[in-house]
Amino acid sequence: MAGAQASITVVGGSRREDYVLPVGMTIAGLLALIEVDLTDLQARLTLGGGRAVDPSDVIGRDIPSGSVVTIVGSQESAQAIADDRQASNSRRFQPAMASSAFMFAALILTLVGVAAPTAALFVDVGQALPPLVTSPWFRVTSGLLCALMWTAPLMTRKGPTSEFAHLGYCAAAGISLGVGVTPLPGSLTFLPLIVSWSALVLAGLVLFTRPGASARVNVQAFGLIAATMTISSFSALGAVRIAPIVFAASIVFISLAPHLALQVPDHQVLDLPLVMKRLPTIRQTVIAPPSRITQARVKKTVREANTRSLSMLASATVIAFVSGVITAYQLPLNEEKPYAGYATLALCLLAIIGLLTNARAKRDRLTHYGPRVVALAMWATIFFAPEWSEFILRSTGEAAEPTLEMARYVALPLSLSVLAFLAPVIALIRAGREPSALVGRILDIIQGLSLTLLLPAATYGSGLFDLVWRKVL
């Protein structure tokens, strides 16, 4: 057997070659000799009859001499991989181009039809705009058309599926409609209220036309915003600063979004005593049996929970960004008793800590980067708050102005640069190690304390505590 020879024919695509090899060589040795790599191409080996060939088979013993070994998928798999990559890129590129073109056209029409006539009411543009554009009927008609244009993609079957797209389109439609129908400039104070209710109505129309988890979350988010605006406008809470309360509530929703998203239907509850306690009516004696738990229903529940969680995170992150920047910029320190300003400043610092330590174990980009962007925006806004600057100058004198300018234009960029340097370094250090339970526990405690102190700081910083103290006590 030492000098025996065996013949093998290798067929792969358009390639067909005959080999004479010593008996005892394996198929893997033959493939290494002829430089064929099966791992990259995801191919397989078969004999003439279709029997699979293992790379460890021995030629002359497991594989008879004269056999034909066919490499199935050598060229076909490479071509299939290339075609699949090209088709995948094409499938991603075309919707992205269509969405970009639509957003560009919608923004241009909104600026021309809504923003320009509104700006003409407050800024003297002279003869820059024709009389038709500055007329109220043009603004009302353009607002209605722009609102329909922004909501039209959400009502189609193949509309955008991103949670930010749902929220952004409804917000843009509500702003267009609210600004268009509000009689400006006489009703400028009611503009936020009308815009919030317009967004709620349009979000409800989208939910009625195309029901879904994202649409329901958007309706709930705009409903909370509209209710907050209404209560603050038509009650004794008009003197209360709403931004800190909304900001604290949005941070709590960001932390609780994964827990609030999972909703298991009652007919899928496995605990029968729990089902008996949750009867719809007292007189109902016949309990409907729980439906069968199948893989399709479990996947549907998990898919809806993921969609609902991302929608909650998107809504809460956007609300936290807007209300957080307003809260940090309007620190009420320029008063005789700046205790509310101290509480608001503490709220901002606690919020930054809570947002930076939020959802460290999550893998999606929205959970990772959304709260951290809000924290960085607040940190940058605090340096430019006018009340904070006036308070420092009033407390320390005009001599502190150079120090304040240095902190604004040196300390802020330096802190952001250090953070930008430390973030990848910490990520590289943690990549090769197991997560530390002690560090994770310490961060959990810090995050819990910051979230616990958020609501008291927001209550006192907004002036709600003083209002209750005067009215009730």
Side-chain angles (χ1 to χ4, degrees), residues 64-386:
S65 178
S67 300
V68 178
V69 178
T70 305
I71 304 177
V72 180
S74 59
Q75 296 180 357
E76 292 82 354
S77 60
Q79 185 64 30
I81 292 174
D83 294 342
D84 182 68
R85 289 177 180 175
Q86 184 178 1
S88 177
N89 294 333
S90 178
R91 287 193 299 269
R92 295 177 182 177
F93 180 74
Q94 292 178 357
M97 283 296 296
S99 301
S100 301
F102 171 78
M103 291 186 63
F104 180 76
L107 285 174
I108 293 298
L109 293 177
T110 305
L111 290 175
V112 174
V114 179
T118 305
L121 298 175
F122 301 95
V123 180
D124 187 12
V125 294
Q127 302 296 327
L129 295 177
L132 177 63
V133 176
T134 57
S135 62
W137 291 107
F138 179 83
R139 180 165 53 87
V140 173
T141 306
S142 301
L144 293 174
L145 293 178
C146 290
L148 293 177
M149 177 180 59
W150 282 110
T151 55
L154 300 178
M155 299 180 184
T156 59
R157 186 175 298 274
K158 295 183 179 181
T161 57
S162 174
E163 289 74 19
F164 272 114
H166 278 264
L167 182 66
Y169 284 4
C170 288
I175 292 173
S176 301
L177 181 60
V179 173
V181 301
T182 303
L184 297 175
S187 303
L188 184 61
T189 56
F190 293 101
L191 181 60
L193 179 63
I194 298 175
V195 167
S196 60
W197 276 102
S198 300
L200 176 60
V201 171
L202 294 175
L205 181 62
V206 173
L207 177 62
F208 178 77
T209 306
R210 189 185 175 191
S214 298
R216 287 192 292 270
V217 172
N218 285 337
V219 170
Q220 295 170 1
F222 286 116
L224 290 175
I225 295 174
T228 304
M229 292 294 180
T230 304
I231 293 175
S232 62
S233 300
F234 297 100
S235 66
L237 297 178
V240 176
R241 300 172 64 241
I242 300 298
I245 299 177
V246 175
F247 180 53
S250 61
I251 295 178
V252 173
F253 271 103
I254 289 176
S255 303
L256 298 179
H259 305 283
L260 300 176
L262 183 60
Q263 298 178 0
V264 180
D266 293 339
H267 60 274
Q268 292 185 8
V269 178
L270 299 180
D271 192 356
L272 190 58
L274 181 61
V275 176
M276 295 176 63
K277 294 178 182 178
R278 299 181 63 178
L279 291 177
T281 59
I282 299 178
R283 299 181 180 180
Q284 183 175 354
T285 57
V286 179
I287 302 175
S291 60
R292 183 181 178 184
I293 306 299
T294 60
Q295 185 177 5
R297 289 174 177 170
V298 171
K299 288 183 178 179
K300 180 182 178 181
T301 302
V302 173
R303 184 172 62 251
E304 290 182 352
N306 290 331
T307 304
R308 195 178 295 110
S309 176
L310 291 177
S311 300
M312 289 181 181
L313 286 172
S315 304
T317 302
V318 173
I319 295 173
F321 180 81
V322 176
S323 59
V325 170
I326 295 175
T327 302
Y329 190 77
Q330 296 179 351
L331 292 175
L333 287 166
N334 194 12
E335 298 177 358
E336 295 181 359
K337 297 181 179 180
Y339 301 111
Y342 291 148
T344 306
L345 182 61
L347 169 65
C348 295
L349 298 179
L350 290 171
I352 291 173
I353 296 174
L355 291 172
L356 290 177
T357 58
N358 180 65
R360 298 176 304 278
K362 299 299 180 181
R363 296 181 179 180
D364 54 281
R365 296 181 179 179
L366 175 61
T367 309
H368 263 302
Y369 302 112
R372 288 158 177 79
V373 169
V374 178
L376 293 179
M378 287 190 57
W379 177 251
T381 307
I382 290 175
F383 283 86
F384 295 93

Side-chain angles (χ1 to χ4, degrees), residues 392-405:
I392 293 178
L393 295 177
R394 188 174 68 247
S395 302
T396 58
E398 297 296 333
E401 186 173 359
T403 305
L404 184 62
E405 294 294 327

